[in-house]
Amino acid sequence: MAAKEHKKQFKAEIKQLLDIITHSIYTNHEIFLRELVSNASDALDKLRFLTAGGHDVADADAPLEIRINADADAGVLTIEDTGLGMTADELVANIGTIAHSGSAQFMKEAEASGESLDNIIGRFGVGFYSVFMVADKVVITTRSATPDASPMSWTSSGTGSYTMQELDGDAPRGTKIEIHLKEEAKKYAEERTIKDILHRHSNFINFPIMLADEQVNTQPALWREPKFKIKKEQYDEFYSFLTLDQTPPLETLHIAVDAPVQFTSLVFIPASPSNSLFDNPDNYGLDLYVRRVLIERKHKALIPEYLGFTRGLVDTEDLPLNLSRETLQQNLLVDKIKTTITKQVLAQLAKLTEDKERYAQFWTNHNKVFKLGYSDYINRDKFAELLRFNSSTDEDAQGLTSLAEYAERMKEGQKAIYYVSGPSREAVRLDPHLEIFTQRGLEVLYLYEPIDEFIMDALGKYKDFDLVAAEQADIGELEKFETVDEDEVKPEALNEEDAKTFEGMLSAIKEILGERVEDVRESKRLKGSAACLVTPDGAMSSQMQKYMQLMVKDSTPPVRVMELNRDHPLTRNLLRIFKSDAGDDFLKSTVEQLYESALLMDGYLNDPHAMVGRINTLLEQASGWYAEIKKA
């Protein structure tokens, strides 16, 4: 005959806390199953720890496992483990008192004995009470692993009280939780629903989880295994399981760290493009586990955004959680994990650069995301070494050059790494600012993405070399280098009178353009073009200025300096016209055309109608003169 039932009342503050837990904290009701399975795993871990230490336990030959059975018609779900079980006192302490950790005393005793505490971090109490989100009534039947312990039962509806009873007869070691589901929660007694939840949250629990005599968690927690025992095929298979990507990853990092935070991690660099991250900027992060139990998918705090192309998981022993396990209690530990993983990934990428073909594959697939790392000041030097750009020395737009390679090829006495921005290689090569670099045989990096300008601005330097936009280069420094075109034919120099007239023409052009330009001056950088626009000294590059204006939706052309190539045939012709008639309309039209052509090259010409009309007029005049000459 069973002993008399003992009815106990929850304290007022516990009633209030229970109400909060069951109605407010958990945003996803299915989490109750994760919590109960996790507690069952804790109990099995503790039992294994005791038996490993030589302690006698009841039912010593019983398999260590978790069994789940469901009666969909009755709306009853049963979760049973063969773990440590509980005595009457432990039942009151662990289940009858919210927010009390039954593992705390257990660990103190184990620590006093000098035995290892690995994997023995149990959390009873709070997680268990999430069951009342879905349950009308819960019945616990438990028997402690202590030999000769009596089985106990605990029953509650999660309201104001619970009852406890010592049971007669024998019972298997461990704990069985019988959940009588609320009407609206009976879906949790359906095997398909249960299996889906277990796959999402408890797939890597270290003990078999049996659902209707079928093991659900068949995928091993590969990250927990020693690295030397794992083959590449196993990593590839796990990656496919984790991501559903059938293409093997480009790189795999298996990380195991004991300090300052104990955690293990598997991080994969996919071989597939990561452009989808821009379609959904929040779709990145590593899965966070605590002792094989999933806490959050794609936890963004574990990896910086610029490494968001990585996929994988982190499993830690040290991370404390709040009541619901859904919100992290101390971000400091997560920051330490993030710092470690970031260093490891950057180191792996640095190693990957030794294989140019495979690194080119990485860069092609992930550079758009990786470039966001320009704001990571702490890892700036490592980030800089991993950057790649197309270069004037490359044969085509697919060529990739590192800053280190550029530095190795620099001319003796060169003090800066030069770059130019544009939408494509063909567009960049036509940029008039590059003409002096081509003439002097100086390499220039080609930047095709807006973010590249921000990268150069954020870095500022690479080792001892300044990063300088081609249009902002010190012309005096460039002229120190000899020309590489030995067949270059220089035009006849202007005589003293024409030189003074040219200065006067520059002033006249400044009057024609007015406030649209800051100044008009002779160009030292142009060799094949007649004119260009350059940013005033000390200002940001024209492309950077353009990007900044795009952010605020301002399309107003910036006020810049117009430079004229004194030796260009068109300029010499304008000089002849200016000498004859400083107010000639053809001169004014040509100046306007040169200015708007420069605007067009820089992407600032908003309305081309006036320009097209002017071109037609100039072509009409020029063709008339040409026809007269040919006729003659």
Side-chain angles (χ1 to χ4, degrees), residues 67 102 120 128 282 345 365 387 396 429 477 579:
R67 287 193 169 273
I120 312 298
F128 164 76
D282 290 329
V345 173
N365 290 333
L387 290 169
D396 52 40
R429 292 176 66 183
E477 286 291 326
K579 286 175 64 177

Side-chain angles (χ1 to χ4, degrees), residues 78-195:
T78 303
I79 302 172
E80 187 173 1
D81 68 71
T82 55
L84 192 64
M86 288 174 280
T87 64
D89 291 341
E90 289 169 342
L91 194 56
V92 172
N94 298 333
I95 302 297
T97 304
I98 295 178
H100 174 80
S101 173
S103 295
Q105 186 61 32
F106 180 87
M107 291 186 65
K108 286 181 181 179
E109 294 174 0
E111 189 174 16
S113 68
E115 298 180 71
S116 173
L117 299 178
D118 290 349
N119 300 319
I120 312 298
I121 305 174
R123 293 183 177 89
F124 288 101
V126 171
F128 164 76
Y129 275 95
S130 64
V131 73
F132 287 109
M133 292 186 298
V134 299
D136 280 328
K137 184 177 75 170
V138 176
V139 179
I140 299 175
T141 303
T142 183
R143 181 192 167 198
S144 171
T146 303
D148 302 325
S150 299
M152 298 292 302
S153 72
W154 182 99
T155 305
S156 178
S157 60
T159 54
S161 64
Y162 61 92
T163 60
M164 287 181 54
Q165 182 181 15
E166 183 178 327
L167 303 176
D168 289 336
D170 199 9
R173 180 198 71 218
T175 300
K176 180 173 73 172
I177 302 176
E178 186 180 279
I179 306 164
H180 296 260
L181 295 165
K182 298 176 181 178
E183 188 65 32
E184 66 271 18
K186 287 190 175 180
K187 66 178 181 179
Y188 296 115
E190 298 172 1
E191 287 189 6
R192 185 176 65 177
T193 301
I194 297 169
K195 185 178 291 187

Side-chain angles (χ1 to χ4, degrees), residues 39-55:
N39 285 347
S41 177
D42 287 342
L44 289 165
D45 253 335
K46 290 179 178 181
L47 183 88
R48 186 165 57 182
F49 177 80
L50 286 179
T51 56
H55 295 275

